[in-house]
Amino acid sequence: EIVLTQSPGTLSLSPGERATLSCRASQSISSSYLAWYQQKPGQAPRLLIYGASDRATGIPDRFSGSASGTGFTLTISRLEPEDFAVYYCLHYSSSSLTFGGGTKVEIK
Amino acid sequence: EVQLVESGGGLVKPGGSLKLSCAASGFTFSSYGMNWVRQAPGKGLEWVSSISFSSSYTYYTDSVKGRFTISRDNAKNSLYLQMKSLRGGDTAVYYCARGALGRLDYWGQGTLVTVSS
């Protein structure tokens, strides 16, 4: 069973700063099936990135994803006020989905 | 416009049953895999179950195997989750989400299931 570990648990930043979120898998996984989601309080999650680096429809280009070995990174180049939220990574295998524990990006 | 609207949540006693529904509109429902994802109060997201577009394949997280059944009715554009032998740990907001291969591109607003005596 694959475990996704997200770090840090909480990221305290100011608007305009760069955010770097990490998602590490317990074993090697295909980057084709790694996605990132954003969730704001009281709202459903929203797909940001799929295939580790492809932006979903309508997602601003300040959001980017990358992969390196068992590690995946979501980068927000310049935080906008609406970007403060919780972010989850998700991996798909042949018969299951696994979410990471989430990273909360909060206003410093 | 793609819309997913969950219903059927509520308060149920431990050991009880509940059936959730998700009404889909704005897209060709029969062409997409569908999923249930839940979120316990104050916790993270947890995948529950998935079903292929033709119902040929169904998958469940271990903690609900044998208790939950996912199904769909493509003629009614609807997704279902039959939940039996409910436990306190099943208390959560349940979301239906469209997609496959981890690419869940549309989500409903969720329905709350509370398991308590």
Side-chain angles (χ1 to χ4, degrees):
Chain A
E1 179 189 343
I2 292 172
V3 176
L4 298 179
T5 301
Q6 291 189 240
S7 61
T10 302
L11 199 50
S12 298
L13 295 168
S14 300
E17 290 193 293
R18 181 184 188 90
T20 303
L21 288 67
S22 173
C23 174
R24 187 158 297 276
S26 57
Q27 58 188 275
S28 179
I29 60 175
S30 169
S31 61
S32 298
Y33 304 132
L34 193 287
W36 288 93
Y37 294 81
Q38 176 195 66
Q39 187 180 34
K40 298 178 182 179
Q43 296 186 17
R46 177 174 73 144
L47 175 66
L48 297 176
I49 301 286
Y50 63 93
S53 59
D54 293 325
R55 273 188 300 277
T57 302
I59 301 303
D61 61 7
R62 63 180 181 273
F63 290 92
S64 63
S66 63
S68 176
T70 60
F72 300 85
T73 301
L74 174 69
T75 301
I76 310 170
S77 58
R78 295 172 309 279
L79 282 165
E80 297 288 340
E82 62 268 27
D83 298 336
F84 291 91
V86 180
Y87 293 83
Y88 296 93
C89 56
L90 169 68
H91 174 254
Y92 161 82
S93 70
S94 60
S95 60
S96 67
L97 303 177
T98 303
F99 283 96
T103 290
K104 181 180 182 180
V105 179
E106 65 176 22
I107 299 176
K108 185 175 181 180
Chain B
E1 177 193 6
V2 172
Q3 281 199 314
L4 297 170
V5 180
E6 302 94 337
S7 61
L11 176 63
V12 61
K13 289 181 169 55
S17 299
L18 211 56
K19 186 174 185 177
L20 306 183
S21 299
C22 172
S25 61
F27 66 102
T28 305
F29 181 71
S30 59
S31 297
Y32 288 85
M34 296 295 295
N35 309 267
W36 288 100
V37 175
R38 68 185 178 183
Q39 187 168 36
K43 302 298 184 182
L45 300 172
E46 180 186 25
W47 169 73
V48 175
S49 182
S50 298
I51 187 167
S52 62
F53 66 94
S54 64
S55 303
S56 296
Y57 302 99
T58 59
Y59 306 102
Y60 302 90
T61 192
D62 286 346
S63 64
V64 309
K65 282 179 183 175
R67 300 190 300 122
F68 290 11
T69 302
I70 191 172
S71 62
R72 64 190 296 161
D73 185 335
N74 287 343
K76 295 183 177 180
N77 292 336
S78 292
L79 174 72
Y80 306 102
L81 186 68
Q82 175 69 57
M83 304 185 294
K84 298 180 179 179
S85 304
L86 283 162
R87 309 164 179 167
D90 297 318
T91 294
V93 173
Y94 285 73
Y95 296 101
C96 69
R98 185 185 87 165
L101 306 181
R103 185 179 171 182
L104 308 184
D105 57 358
Y106 285 93
W107 297 61
Q109 282 306 300
T111 187
L112 176 63
V113 172
T114 303
V115 183
S116 175
S117 55

